[in-house]
Amino acid sequence: MLGTLCTLLTALTCGSAVTVVTQTPAVVTVRKGESATLHCNLGTVTGNGPRWYKQVPGETPQYMLRFHYSYSSAQYGSGFSSPKFDSKSSSETDYSLIINTVEVGDSAVYYCKTYDSGPVAVSQWQCCDCSHTDACCCHGTTVVFGPGTKLIVTDPTPPTPSLTVFPPSSEELQGDSVRVVCVAEDVSAGLADVSWLLGGNPLISGISTSSTQQQPNGRFRLSSILTIQTAVWTSGKDVTCQVTSSGSTASKTISQSDCSD
C-alpha cells in the first residue's frame, strides 16, 4: 500500500513536461553572397541558451556555436567563427543564427538545441518519505532539439549536374521487377532533390536515393534507384531521372528501346 501511494504521489507531484523548441521558418532560401537568418524559440527555457548544429545529409552533425542573452559574444566550435557566423537574442527565449556571405556549401539542415532542467520522478525505492512528496523528486536535465531549418543557397550560375542512367541488367529482366540506376556527379551542393518520371508523369514510390558524398573537386555525388515492374520497362515507356541543386536542374531519359541491340 505504501509503495502504491508513493508511486502515485511521485506521478502527481514530480511530472514535468519537457519544453518544446521551435524553429522558423522550416526552409530558408537565399542567393549566394547574401545573409541568412534562422530563428529558434526555447519555449520555457531561460537559464540555457541554444547550441547550433549544422548537418549535411549523410554526414555527422557539426557543432557550430552556443549563445546566451547574458553573453557578450558567441562561443564557437571548431571551424566556425565570427563574422561569418553569429547569434543574437531578442528575448530570454528567442534567438537567431546569422550566417553572413553564404556560400553554396552552407546549404544544410541547422538544428537548435538546449537543456531543460526541472523536477524528474525517480524510482520508487528512492522515495524515502511519502508524507513529504519532495523526497520523491530530484532535478534532472533533458536535451531538447528543435525540428531543424533547411537552408538552401542558390547560385546565379551553378554548374549543371552530370547524370548517367543505367538500365536494368539482363538477369533482372527475368524477374517481376527491375531497377534503373541514376548517378549524379558534380552536384553543386550537399542538398539536392531527385525525382523520377515515367512517361512524363512523376513517380512517388519505388525510389531509393543515397545521401550526397563530396568529390575531390568540392562538389557532390549521389545515386538514386528506381524499382518498377518488368512489364512497365519492357513496354518502352521513357524513364527520366531529374536532379535539382542550387537552382540548377539536370535530367536524363532512358527507355528499353535505347538499350536494344
Side-chain angles (χ1 to χ4, degrees):
M1 181 64 183
L2 180 62
T4 302
L5 178 59
C6 177
T7 302
L8 176 60
L9 288 172
T10 298
L12 292 175
T13 62
C14 302
S16 177
V18 175
T19 192
V20 175
V21 173
T22 57
Q23 291 183 239
T24 55
V27 179
V28 174
T29 302
V30 295
R31 292 168 65 90
K32 180 181 177 181
E34 296 179 342
S35 294
T37 301
L38 289 60
H39 300 282
C40 175
N41 179 274
L42 302 184
T44 59
V45 174
T46 58
N48 290 300
R51 276 80 166 166
W52 289 92
Y53 291 81
K54 172 186 178 182
Q55 184 174 31
V56 174
E59 298 184 8
T60 302
Q62 297 174 276
Y63 167 63
M64 300 175 62
L65 59 87
R66 60 179 294 188
F67 183 70
H68 188 255
Y69 64 85
S70 63
Y71 295 175
S72 59
S73 61
Q75 299 176 1
Y76 294 91
S78 177
F80 299 91
S81 61
S82 178
K84 170 78 173 180
F85 303 97
D86 199 5
S87 183
K88 303 291 184 182
S89 63
S90 56
S91 73
E92 293 183 354
T93 58
D94 289 296
Y95 291 84
S96 59
L97 172 69
I98 301 100
I99 306 176
N100 296 303
T101 318
V102 296
E103 302 171 359
V104 171
D106 293 319
S107 296
V109 180
Y110 292 82
Y111 292 96
C112 174
K113 181 187 83 172
T114 192
Y115 295 93
D116 187 12
S117 300
V120 178
V122 298
S123 58
Q124 180 181 324
W125 66 268
Q126 291 177 291
C127 185
C128 303
D129 184 354
C130 286
S131 64
H132 297 84
T133 56
D134 285 348
C136 298
C137 301
C138 66
H139 275 70
T141 301
T142 304
V143 177
V144 187
F145 276 91
T149 293
K150 184 177 182 179
L151 174 63
I152 300 173
V153 180
T154 61
D155 189 336
T157 56
T160 301
S162 173
L163 305 186
T164 305
V165 179
F166 297 94
S169 65
S170 56
E171 291 80 6
E172 283 186 301
L173 292 173
Q174 308 307 312
D176 294 331
S177 62
V178 295
R179 296 175 300 169
V180 183
V181 180
C182 178
V183 177
E185 297 182 298
D186 291 332
V187 178
S188 60
L191 289 175
D193 292 320
V194 179
S195 58
W196 288 86
L197 297 87
L198 178 65
N201 298 312
L203 295 172
I204 59 174
S205 62
I207 300 169
S208 176
T209 301
S210 72
S211 57
T212 54
Q213 301 292 326
Q214 195 160 27
Q215 302 172 200
N217 63 3
R219 296 175 186 173
F220 295 84
R221 180 181 189 272
L222 61 83
S223 61
S224 184
I225 299 174
L226 172 66
T227 302
I228 56 176
Q229 295 297 308
T230 304
V232 174
W233 170 256
T234 56
S235 70
K237 288 186 177 180
D238 287 343
V239 175
T240 302
C241 173
Q242 186 169 280
V243 178
T244 301
S245 178
S246 299
S248 178
T249 301
S251 62
K252 185 79 171 183
T253 299
I254 192 174
S255 68
Q256 185 197 30
S257 60
D258 298 325
C259 310
S260 302
D261 293 332

